[in-house]
Amino acid sequence: MKRIVIVGVVISAIALIAAQPGTRSRYDRLPVWPTTEQQINTLGDKYVFRDASTGEVVIAVPVDRKHLSGPRQIIRHRPQNQVEPTIRVHIAEEEDHKVQYRYTITNGKDARLAINAWCLILPTGEMDADLENTVWGKIRLQRTQLRQIAQLGAPGSDCAYWSTRGVQELEIEPGRSSAPFALRSTYLPGFTTSYVRGGLPLSTPGDLPLDVAKQLMPVMGVEETHRVLLTIGPRFSRSTDPQVIATDYQRGIEVLRNSGELSESSDFYRQVVAVLDDCSRRPTKETCSATRLRQSASVVRSLLEGDIAAALTVALP
């Protein structure tokens, strides 16, 4: 089978929500764990804390449920979002009207945990998606309805999910990269959300008192326990109106501009925004032409600019 390889389609995912202590996260709102024994003995009605020095969540569980202000049992948990992922994808358009997405994940050298699982939100439960990986486990999680946090306005749905299945040797250690993950689909590329995690889930010796559980729940949702990133994956069926695709790319590019990842002063930014504006306002073969996008690609000055231009040439006619 002959493949038409789209050269240079390498997407560096942008961590829009760092989801770990000290950043825009609910972890940051937890009270700081006291540093002296005297302070620990005066915790009052607070049971869940963050240790500013270690990055751990500290749960001070009353030993006697009938006396919540009495002695505490201390449980420490390292949040599973303390990974530093960068996701890259190479896209190859194939003659059978399918697109192959090949992902490589790198874990930053400053990460506190090795990466052992990640998922990519798919646009609909009805789409075709063939997952591949030679060593990691893979499954399509259905009826998950994960939210599109990184690309607001995009539909949340199923999740393409890969994990080490508990095999520690397969984890992506800090400073290392993974073997490629692959996904084939007839759906065209667009911005979507990835969730990445490491470590182990929280384990407690029995049920927690209700007062403790209420304070713990806000930091245990999937959006808090994972790193949330903007990446590129299958998003649009081939029957999707180019106007819809252009408008969605506008939204993602605006997010990248607001985060400082794209510069509005660059020639590429100005040209690609003009093409998308024309296509979203007056969708015709001329205004939405991939040829115009290839012209924009000639002025790229960064990896990310090249990635966006190349992905758009696949997504638009």
Side-chain angles (χ1 to χ4, degrees), residues 170-209:
L170 299 180
E171 294 180 351
I172 308 172
E173 297 290 339
R176 304 293 297 273
S177 297
S178 72
F181 306 86
L183 184 155
R184 294 179 71 249
S185 175
T186 58
Y187 274 59
L188 300 172
F191 289 113
T192 189
T193 299
S194 292
Y195 291 84
V196 187
R197 66 166 171 78
L200 297 172
L202 172 66
S203 177
T204 61
D207 296 336
L208 297 175

Side-chain angles (χ1 to χ4, degrees), residues 81-116:
N81 54 40
Q82 293 186 4
V83 293
E84 297 289 342
T86 297
I87 302 177
R88 293 182 175 178
V89 58
H90 178 272
I91 298 177
E93 193 169 25
E94 302 177 342
E95 289 185 340
D96 59 356
H97 299 292
K98 287 201 173 185
V99 179
Q100 184 187 71
Y101 303 81
R102 289 179 63 82
Y103 296 92
T104 299
I105 299 183
T106 300
N107 196 9
K109 61 182 179 60
D110 295 326
R112 281 174 161 160
L113 292 173
I115 295 171
N116 58 28

